[in-house]
C-alpha cells in the first residue's frame, strides 16, 4: 500500500467508472468530458488515464483493419454527406460504428488512398486531402479524439517524458547516483528500467536497485502486462525495485504476489525521511 502520494483506488470506485464508461455511446472528447463532470473528486490526470486504458481495451476488441470495413465506412460516410445536415459526420459515424473518431478516419483514408504512406500523410496534415469536405470532416474527427489522434500520441509521449524528468530531478536532489536507459543499453541490456541505481537505497526497509516511472493509472490488466514484459526482467537482472504509478493504481494490485517481493509501488517518489542511503564500497 502506498504511504506517500494518493492512496490506491478502491475497487468499488473503479468499477463504478467502468460501468459509466460502458454506457458511453461514443469515444469522442465530449463523451470523456461528460464522464469527468461526474467524477470531479478524482484527479483529472487519473481519470483521463483510466478512460484511456478503457478505450484502448475496447478498441482492441472492436476495431479491425480490413479493406472491406474501410469500404463500408466510406459508403456510410458518403450517405451521411448526402444528407442535409453535414455537421459532425465523422463523429456520428464513429458513434454508430462503436470506434474512436481517429480510427474511423484512418480506415476511411485507407479506402481513399491505396498507398499507406499517403494516407498517413493526410492524417497528419489534412491540407493534402483533395476533397475539401472530406478534409474538414477528417480534421474534426482527429481534433475530437483524445486517444488515437497523432496529437494525442504527442501529448502522451510528452507526459511520459515529463514524469521521467521529474523522477530524475528527485534522484539528483537526494544525491542518488544512477545509470539511465541510454547508459544501460550501451552496456548491452535490451530491457532496462528508467533508472538503475549505482548504489541501492532502502525505502521503508525495502531494498531498491532500480526505479521505473509510469505516467499512467495502474489497473490489473496493464500492470499484469508490465510484470510479464518488463518488471520481472528488471528483477531477474537487478534485484528488487520501485515502480511509480504517478496517476494512481487499483488497490487490488497491492495484493498481487510480486508486490513487496519483486518491487514496491508508489504514486510519487518517496520522501527523504523514508529513505535510507548507503555508501558505495571503496
Amino acid at each position: 500500500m502506498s504511504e506517500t502520494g494518493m492512496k490506491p483506488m478502491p475497487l468499488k470506485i473503479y468499477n463504478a467508472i467502468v460501468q459509466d464508461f460502458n454506457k458511453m455511446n461514443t469515444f469522442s472528447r465530449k463523451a470523456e468530458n461528460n464522464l469527468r463532470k461526474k467524477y470531479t473528486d478524482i484527479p483529472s490526470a487519473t481519470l483521463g488515464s483510466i478512460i484511456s486504458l478503457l478505450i484502448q481495451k475496447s478498441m482492441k476488441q472492436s476495431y479491425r483493419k480490413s479493406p472491406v470495413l474501410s469500404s463500408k465506412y466510406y459508403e456510410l460516410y458518403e450517405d451521411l454527406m448526402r444528407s442535409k445536415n453535414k455537421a459532425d459526420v465523422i463523429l456520428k459515424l464513429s458513434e454508430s460504428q462503436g470506434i474512436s473518431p481517429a480510427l474511423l478516419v484512418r480506415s476511411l483514408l485507407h479506402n481513399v488512398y491505396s498507398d499507406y504512406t499517403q494516407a498517413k500523410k493526410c492524417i497528419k496534415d489534412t491540407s493534402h486531402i483533395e476533397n475539401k469536405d472530406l478534409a474538414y470532416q477528417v480534421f474534426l474527427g482527429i481534433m475530437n479524439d483524445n486517444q488515437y489522434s497523432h496529437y494525442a500520441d504527442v501529448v502522451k509521449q510528452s507526459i511520459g517524458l515529463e514524469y521521467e524528468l521529474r523522477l530524475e530531478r528527485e534522484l539528483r536532489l537526494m544525491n542518488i547516483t544512477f545509470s539511465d536507459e541510454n547508459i544501460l543499453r550501451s552496456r548491452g541490456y535490451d530491457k532496462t528500467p528508467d533508472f538503475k541505481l549505482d548504489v541501492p537505497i532502502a525505502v521503508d526497509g525495502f531494498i531498491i536497485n532500480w526505479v521505473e516511472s509510469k505516467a499512467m493509472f495502474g489497473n490489473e490488466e496493464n500492470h499484469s502486462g508490465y510484470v510479464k514484459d518488463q518488471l520481472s526482467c528488471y528483477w531477474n537482472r537487478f534485484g528488487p525495485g520501485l515502480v511509480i504509478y504517478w496517476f494512481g493504481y487499483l488497490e487490488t494490485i497491492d495484493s498481487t504476489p510480486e508486490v513487496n517481493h519483486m518491487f514496491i509501488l508508489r504514486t510519487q517518489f518517496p520522501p527523504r525521511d523514508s529513505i535510507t542511503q548507503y555508501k558505495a564500497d571503496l
Side-chain angles (χ1 to χ4, degrees), residues 167 171 176-177 193 195-212 238-244 260-266 269-270 274-278:
L167 175 55
L171 292 171
I176 298 174
T177 60
F195 301 99
K196 165 66 174 66
L197 306 187
D198 294 338
V199 178
I201 63 172
V203 175
D204 296 321
F206 188 90
I207 299 298
I208 301 297
N209 293 281
W210 50 268
V211 187
E212 179 75 359
F238 306 117
L242 164 65
V243 180
I244 302 177
N260 297 320
H261 171 55
M262 295 166 58
F263 50 79
I264 56 174
L265 299 176
R266 295 292 187 269
F269 193 73
S274 69
I275 295 177
T276 302
Q277 293 181 246
Y278 303 100

Side-chain angles (χ1 to χ4, degrees), residues 17 38 50 52 58 85 92 105 120 145 149-150 179 182 186 189 193 217-218 234 248 265 274:
I17 296 172
K38 181 173 181 178
I50 292 173
S52 178
S58 181
N85 185 9
K92 291 175 182 175
V105 161
K120 188 175 182 180
D145 194 316
S149 69
H150 53 281
S179 299
N182 293 327
S186 71
Y189 293 105
F217 180 85
Y234 306 161
L265 299 176
S274 69

Side-chain angles (χ1 to χ4, degrees), residues 1-2 4-10 248-249 267:
M1 182 172 179
S2 175
T4 60
M6 68 182 80
K7 293 182 179 179
M9 179 175 286
Y249 61 89
T267 58

Side-chain angles (χ1 to χ4, degrees), residues 218-232 245 253 256 258 263:
N219 64 12
E220 290 182 350
E221 185 174 0
N222 70 343
H223 177 73
S224 177
Y226 286 133
V227 170
K228 179 181 177 181
D229 298 333
Q230 297 178 345
L231 305 179
S232 60
Y245 282 113
I253 294 177
T256 54
E258 64 274 358
F263 50 79

